[in-house]
Amino acid sequence: MELDPVLLSRIQFAFVVSFHAIFPVFTIGLAAFIAYLEALLYRTRNPVYEELARFWTKVFAVVFGMGVVSGIVMAFQFGTNWSAFSYASANFLGPVLSYEVVTAFFLEAVFLGVLLFGRNKVPPGTHLFAACMVAVGTFISSFWILSANSWMQTPAGVELQDGIFQMTSWGEAIFNPSFGLRFLHFALAAFLTAGFVVLGISAWYLRKGKATTSSRKALSMTVVLMAVLAPTQLVVGDLHGLDTFEHQPEKVAAMEGIWETQEGAPLLLFAIPSQRGERNYLEIGIPKGASLILTHELDGEVPGLKEWAPEDRPHVPTVFWSFRIMVGLGLLMIIAALAGLVQLLRGKLYDSPRLLKLYTWMIPAPFVAVLAGWFVTEVGRQPWLVHGIMRVEEGITPSLTGGMALFTLIGFVLVYAVVFLAGVYYLSRVMKSGPESFTRESEESGVAKRPLSTVDTSFEDQPWDLPGKR
Amino acid sequence: MELIDLTMIWILILGFGVLMYVLMDGFDLGVGILFPFAPSDRARDDMMNSVAPVWDGNETWLLLGGAGLLAAFPLVYTVFLPALYIGVFLLLAGLIFRGIAFEFRFKANRSRYLWDHSFNIGSTVAAFAQGAVVGAYIQGFETEGFQYVGGPFDWLTPFTIMTGLGVVTGYALLGATWTILKTEGETQAWAWRITPWLLAGMLAFFVVVSVWTPLANERVFNRWFDNAHILWIFPLATLLVCWWLYSAIRRRLEGTPFVATMTLFVLFYIGLLISMWPYAVPPEHTFWDAASDPGSQLFLLLGFLFVIPFVLGYTAWTYWIFRGKVSSDAGYH
């Protein structure tokens, strides 16, 4: 069998970026949450905020560490596997990625150190400042990387001359048409991710009767925020979709599973799209729904996939189903958040075992939703690398063979499996030990200098922890 | 001709960035390379504690180098990485394994030895891969137009294996002199003992590579033997610094060996640039061929001039906070 370096490189990039993405999408929201807790602590001196801030900073450190090691790989993927693309787009991507390093990575690195280890070494105000800077750093980082990604979706401010993108306007390129809404959509997703993890963990502690005071506090704070943000995300997501409809209509056609250009296109709830058959099977839909959403008219015209040549269409089943998974989980989050708000207002949030259980079960939901969303936008961009200008196969490294790509793909899968299993195992131990174990006393007994090492939770069971010894 | 040669400025900036990376990550990789030879677990704890607060920041310079090359010299980025495809994978895998070893070793009990291996092998592989990159740079790349067209293992030759081992030894020397600076007791005594041997080893690699390079490469030969006799000041300075380092070890000066080793690396670095100048992707493409559009270079330069001083400031501040000896009782639990 002939190994296709393009396909293998695509799989490798998708794997590496998906694996990496789950960490920053969590830490961006969590950094802001921690900064908020630190601000509350600074103003009120209430120890419950300190307990929460300390605990979530530990979690943050673990996840951030995994994001860092998986992120280093990303900086080199562009060159190893996609050198033709890198060479063509270096005038824009080079400075953007470099700005991410100098304005975000260094900022995060400095102030993370102060946040993690400086609580007893710097004044409270400086510590709060450090927490804010880490949060700002994560946002600056996502600003640059989403600008680069959006530029690939809706290129602007450049001119292709002799196969090289030459800059015509930095402002238009950085703030390209899809950037604003994509950034907002992603930022909200980051907040929702962190929020639902906090909800799920706090709910779990409450059900176990652990760290009751701080968990109640975290739960009520987060429920209110989620009840605002989850519906907001629906609105922003809709605007982002309309924006995509304008710039990348074939992506929207794939999202909606519309093959024929039609007026009054239905909103499909279920269907099995067939790329080869150019049609859907087992359609269940709301008549005229898609037209109403996309054009705000019942009989508005929606272009179908057949407007584009078969080789210019994205893989419809992937885009179609990823979109439904994302929206479905988004609606679930809205319902769960609003139900929590109702219970909070009725004063029954802490005594709603089924809702608390739901929150705990929903911890993976935002991560799956974010990945599904990435699949929609990235697979939906195919077969283009830079939409409308450069195709994916044009961007591949010319000297790359299928065998080399397969070797590194397997290699990264194995390496990341080790990182992920060790990280998850360790994180679950941090979670199990709970906020109460991160008091001032227990922390001062150990001098920790590294993110993951700030927690005094042992990697394995201590001998005195073993069941037989109890 | 423009008023300012932006490409020259970028050679200086990225040259500085890569040097920062080599010096800073060099010593913490070196600590990893020396790890299995340390006299005790206690010594290993001390060694790891001494680099734990700073290694992450050190490694960020690698990212700066990568992204900076894409921005200012895209040809270097898009030829080196494909040409070194397998080597880059080994480098990244090595850095990941040593990175997570920092995080997990102090949490492990029964499995601690696994993280020791992970730290050691990861550091050694990463250092070797970096040395092989240097060797591959000297060797040159087979390009057509602006694309790499050579094979997947062109970078792995007896010569690059030699430079790879040379860098492993050199980083180990940096790690040993850093250990002298940051530790006391048996750990430091051990570091005093091994440093002269590592110096001798590195000097041997230096001589072999220095003789081999001009013999294998006519351009380098002409550079050194034509008539630029002033250049011979660098090998001479190298020998003097080696003597300075050796006498500092004999007199048991704690800080000098580390400074002297860093000076050696700066001299090697300058020597390398002299040999290769003005080629960014030898044997055909100069730095000016490899440069990106002046507009892009300028756009990024303005930001760098503003931000880099802050980065340097905080880096210095971190080292200041964690100055002094690592004390054993303040280690991890």
Side-chain angles (χ1 to χ4, degrees), chain A residues 66-87:
Chain A
M66 292 167 71
V68 166
V69 290
S70 61
I72 296 175
V73 176
M74 299 305 307
F76 293 92
Q77 284 273 300
F78 295 112
T80 51
N81 294 62
W82 305 100
S83 69
F85 163 66
S86 301
Y87 190 67

Side-chain angles (χ1 to χ4, degrees), chain A residues 75 99 408 450 455 459-460, chain B residues 52 77 85 107 109 111 296 299:
Chain A
Y99 267 120
T408 54
R450 283 291 315 142
V455 200
F459 195 62
E460 300 126 359
Chain B
Y77 186 86
Y85 190 83
K107 302 290 163 266
N109 300 318
S111 60
S296 295
F299 176 71

Side-chain angles (χ1 to χ4, degrees), chain A residues 9 12 62 64-66 68-84 86-87 89-99 101-103 105-107 109-112 114 117 121-122 144 166-167 170 174 397-401 404-412 414-416 418-419 422-423 426 445-463 466, chain B residues 49-57 59-72 74-79 81-86 88-93 95-97 99-100 102-104 106-112 115 146-153 289-304 307-308 311 314-315 317-318 321-322 326-327 329-333:
Chain A
S9 293
Q12 178 172 313
V62 178
F64 190 82
M66 292 167 71
V68 166
V69 290
S70 61
I72 296 175
V73 176
M74 299 305 307
F76 293 92
Q77 284 273 300
F78 295 112
T80 51
N81 294 62
W82 305 100
S83 69
S86 301
Y87 190 67
S89 57
N91 283 332
F92 174 65
L93 284 188
V96 166
L97 297 179
S98 299
Y99 267 120
V101 176
V102 292
T103 60
F105 292 165
F106 279 116
L107 193 70
V110 193
F111 289 103
L112 181 68
V114 181
F117 313 112
K121 286 183 179 165
V122 295
W144 291 112
Q166 299 291 350
M167 302 307 300
W170 283 99
I174 293 173
T397 297
S399 59
L400 186 66
T401 64
M404 290 158 74
L406 184 66
F407 172 78
T408 54
L409 173 60
I410 294 172
F412 279 122
L414 293 178
V415 171
Y416 281 9
V418 173
V419 174
Y426 185 61
S445 66
V447 178
K449 292 167 185 168
R450 283 291 315 142
L452 298 197
S453 311
T454 54
V455 200
D456 289 323
T457 313
S458 175
F459 195 62
E460 300 126 359
D461 290 309
Q462 295 283 353
L466 293 173
Chain B
N49 278 327
S50 75
V51 292
V54 291
W55 78 271
D56 205 357
E59 219 166 272
T60 309
W61 289 91
L62 181 66
L63 290 176
L64 182 71
L69 279 176
L70 177 62
L75 186 66
V76 177
Y77 186 86
T78 57
V79 169
L81 291 178
L84 295 153
Y85 190 83
I86 304 290
V88 170
F89 170 75
L90 293 176
L91 170 67
L92 295 174
L95 290 178
I96 289 174
F97 275 117
I100 59 169
F102 271 106
E103 319 292 10
F104 293 139
F106 289 100
K107 302 290 163 266
N109 300 318
R110 290 184 300 262
S111 60
R112 173 173 283 204
W115 299 115
F146 294 101
Q147 285 172 344
Y148 176 70
V149 293
F153 291 102
D289 298 333
S292 60
D293 189 75
S296 295
Q297 289 189 334
L298 183 65
F299 176 71
L300 187 58
L301 179 65
L302 297 176
F304 266 41
V307 180
I308 292 282
V311 171
Y314 108 73
T315 305
W317 180 63
T318 317
I321 286 182
F322 294 104
V326 182
S327 53
D329 54 322
Y332 294 86
H333 290 256

